[in-house]
Amino acid sequence: MIKWMLVVLTTLLTAKVFAGDAYSQSRCDGIKKEREHIRAKMRHGYKVAEGERLKTRFTFLFKELANHCNKPKKAAPRQYSKPARVYSSNNSTLLNQKVPSMSLYSDSYSNKAKLDAWSKFYKLPERCRKKGMNTTEFVWCSEYRGKQKALFEAQWKGKP
């Protein structure tokens, strides 16, 4: 009999401890409303002491919400499935392949003929293709493109 009483008593006490972790929805809503009220007060003028008090209360309420109201639900574990086919190609070869219908993207030219001519004219140097360029290389590539664009514009104007 004493064992059963201890089991029941222990169950009730542990249930109360775990139940105290989460607040009710109405209490959480009240905390949110109070935070909004404090935020509204902080937008208006106040003295230093009042500001410190509001800031302290605001921080306390934020922690209360984080600890007792905003408990994220655990997502179901994702099942990993192997892809049906594994590709083992070199990415740089795919990136550098010329596709017959491929043209250089540029919002500089609205004229289709001029954009096509620019696509054929401008060739991106190999050193400008690599990932993780340092600043010096990036600047060089930008300046190179500007020089090539000026050269292209001069040739385009000279066209009959």
Side-chain angles (χ1 to χ4, degrees):
M1 184 70 169
I2 294 176
K3 287 181 185 179
W4 283 109
M5 289 176 68
L6 285 174
V7 169
V8 170
L9 193 63
T10 307
T11 306
L12 290 175
L13 288 176
T14 55
K16 187 175 181 180
V17 169
F18 287 120
D21 282 349
Y23 289 168
S24 67
Q25 187 62 42
S26 61
R27 187 166 179 190
C28 290
D29 291 341
I31 291 172
K32 287 177 185 176
K33 283 181 185 177
E34 187 177 351
R35 283 186 74 221
E36 287 300 318
H37 181 71
I38 290 172
R39 204 177 272 147
K41 278 186 177 179
M42 291 175 86
R43 287 189 202 114
H44 300 295
Y46 50 82
K47 295 187 176 164
V48 176
E50 177 73 7
E52 289 298 319
R53 189 185 66 75
L54 290 173
K55 184 179 174 185
T56 304
R57 182 68 180 157
F58 190 79
T59 304
F60 173 77
L61 291 174
F62 176 78
K63 289 177 183 175
E64 286 289 300
L65 280 173
N67 291 332
H68 301 286
C69 294
N70 296 332
K71 295 288 183 191
K73 294 178 182 170
K74 289 185 179 179
R78 289 187 173 190
Q79 296 294 329
Y80 177 75
S81 60
K82 281 188 168 183
R85 214 161 114 187
V86 177
Y87 296 101
S88 61
S89 65
N90 186 356
N91 286 340
S92 62
T93 57
L94 290 174
L95 291 173
N96 294 326
Q97 281 182 348
K98 189 84 170 165
V99 178
S101 63
M102 188 168 92
S103 66
L104 182 69
Y105 172 77
S106 176
D107 56 359
S108 304
Y109 303 117
S110 56
N111 181 354
K112 180 151 176 46
K114 194 171 185 180
L115 180 61
D116 290 341
W118 169 247
S119 296
K120 290 176 186 165
F121 176 83
Y122 181 68
K123 302 295 178 223
L124 188 66
E126 194 65 38
R127 73 188 267 190
C128 299
R129 292 179 188 267
K130 53 184 184 173
K131 288 184 179 179
M133 276 192 274
N134 64 28
T135 308
T136 308
E137 291 171 328
F138 181 78
V139 169
W140 184 88
C141 292
S142 297
E143 289 175 350
Y144 177 79
R145 182 181 165 98
K147 289 175 187 173
Q148 292 297 307
K149 199 162 193 171
L151 185 62
F152 171 75
E153 288 291 336
Q155 288 179 1
W156 183 262
K157 285 181 184 175
K159 240 182 175 181

